[in-house]
Amino acid sequence: DAATSRALGSAEAYLQRLQAADGLPRGFEVGTTSLSFRPEEAPEMSAVMSVSLLKLERPTAAFAAVTTSSKFPGAPVKVLRRRLAEEAVQAVVVNTKVSNVCAAGDGEADAESICQAAAEALGLASRNLVLPSSTGVIGWRLPVSAMQAKLPDAAAALQGEQLLPMAEAIMTTDRYPKLRSRQLSNGARVVGIAKGAGMIEPNMATMLSFVLTDLEVSRDELRGMLREVVDESFNCISVDSDESTSDMCVCLSSEAVAATAADIQEFKDALRDVCKELAQDVVRNGEGTEHVIQVRLTNADRLDPKQRRELGRAIVNSPLFKCAVAGNDPNVGRLVAAVGKCAGRLDLDVDPSLVTIRLGGMVIYEQGSFALDGEMEKRLSAVLEDATLPSESPYPAHERVVDIEVDLGHGGGDTAA
């Protein structure tokens, strides 16, 4: 199948695949640098931070962002939300190691200081043209002076060929970079990167994701599309059920390629594909991940989209079912228990006599009872073993999943988690 055909034998092969998919859309440049510092909160430690700059050739009004729903958002998230009211932006500055969340001092002022320094390094008219983004330790304060001193190095490193250096620079506990792309029929490109391996159960996106395009698309269209696409992709994943304080997904257009109505629809499909693939990459790269569980709810039109997502998430987050999968043990009773628990807790319209459940394409439950025997148990265990990933590998060995379908027997209305 397609997932098997994407099996990789080495980190070098994975890097080659990313390089083949890479290529910045027209009108963008990327530069990265790094610095060493001692955090105020842990002065006995020496830490290394990467700083990345993403610059557009000219300011664009076509920018969109979706951010965390946490009630404790980081200072960069707060600043970015204010930027959404600006007429245009022209750059993004991203740092690792320190998330600038609930730190001592004025985190928002620190974020604005970094935006100002980035604007000066890039020769921009105002800090309001710069979007800030941070990931790392919660509670630490940004080393503002050290970052300000290194931003000219990131600006000097700007190049307009590859996004991969930024994908690598924004990694924290990630084992490998994540980059996906699509080329439209008119030559425009959609290229996205993401980072995140722990604290992943977004109610918007993954920890950080940046998607770039050179297709001319209006601000309102782009913002509507991003909200919709994020809801269908990043909002449907979970690694550890913990939502981050720093989550954001940013989409920028350089507007370098004119678009027809057909191009806009093709772009939306490409944006959806890129975001879905990045979301799957984040799960595959999750801290300690050895299996990717994909849940599809079908014939579920008596549940609204939020209810369908909650039911799917209840399965992938069930500690007992996750333990069974991790041990390649087809204890499907835990799967049914997770469905029943969530349906009862939310008072969902779920009738056990109408439900059919499949694992790896095999029916394990229908019309109110299990369909199991000794041979079935062996086949189910083989499915789990086949989907196993080495949890410490510096590359994704394959893209196979533990595929679960829960058919509620209602009629149309499908979703995936």
Side-chain angles (χ1 to χ4, degrees), residues 236 238 283 289-296 312 315-318 321-323 325-326 335 384 387 400-404 417:
C236 289
S238 179
V283 175
T289 296
E290 293 186 347
H291 294 82
V292 175
I293 303 171
Q294 176 178 279
V295 177
R296 294 177 296 119
I315 296 170
V316 299
N317 281 338
S318 165
F321 183 60
K322 288 168 77 172
C323 285
V325 171
L335 168 57
L384 301 180
R400 294 188 289 276
V401 300
V402 177
D403 184 58
I404 296 167

Side-chain angles (χ1 to χ4, degrees), residues 24-25 27-31 53-57 158-161:
L24 277 166
F28 290 95
E29 293 181 304
V30 165
L53 288 174
L54 170 66
K55 182 188 178 185
L56 290 93
E57 287 182 0
L158 286 172
Q159 49 80 29
E161 301 299 321

Side-chain angles (χ1 to χ4, degrees), residues 196-202 206 236-242 279-289 291-292 313 316-317 322:
M199 201 176 287
I200 304 293
E201 183 173 277
T206 184
C236 289
I237 66 172
S238 179
V239 170
D240 47 30
S241 78
D242 284 330
Q280 292 165 0
D281 289 341
V282 168
V283 175
R284 197 170 291 113
N285 189 199
E287 293 174 357
T289 296
H291 294 82
V292 175
R313 189 168 282 166
V316 299
N317 281 338
K322 288 168 77 172

Side-chain angles (χ1 to χ4, degrees), residues 185-199:
S185 56
N186 69 353
R189 287 181 57 74
V190 182
V191 188
I193 59 175
K195 63 83 50 188
M199 201 176 287

Side-chain angles (χ1 to χ4, degrees), residues 75-132:
V77 170
K78 296 177 182 177
V79 174
L80 181 141
R81 288 172 178 170
R82 291 200 295 270
R83 294 285 195 272
L84 290 173
E86 297 290 332
E87 291 185 4
V89 297
Q90 196 175 352
V92 181
V93 57
V94 188
N95 71 271
T96 62
K97 204 61 182 180
V98 178
S99 65
N100 192 11
V101 177
C102 301
D106 190 336
E108 291 181 57
D110 288 347
E112 290 284 17
S113 294
I114 298 305
C115 289
Q116 179 63 39
E120 292 172 2
L122 295 171
L124 306 185
S126 169
R127 71 185 186 190
N128 291 338
L129 289 168
V130 182
L131 303 177

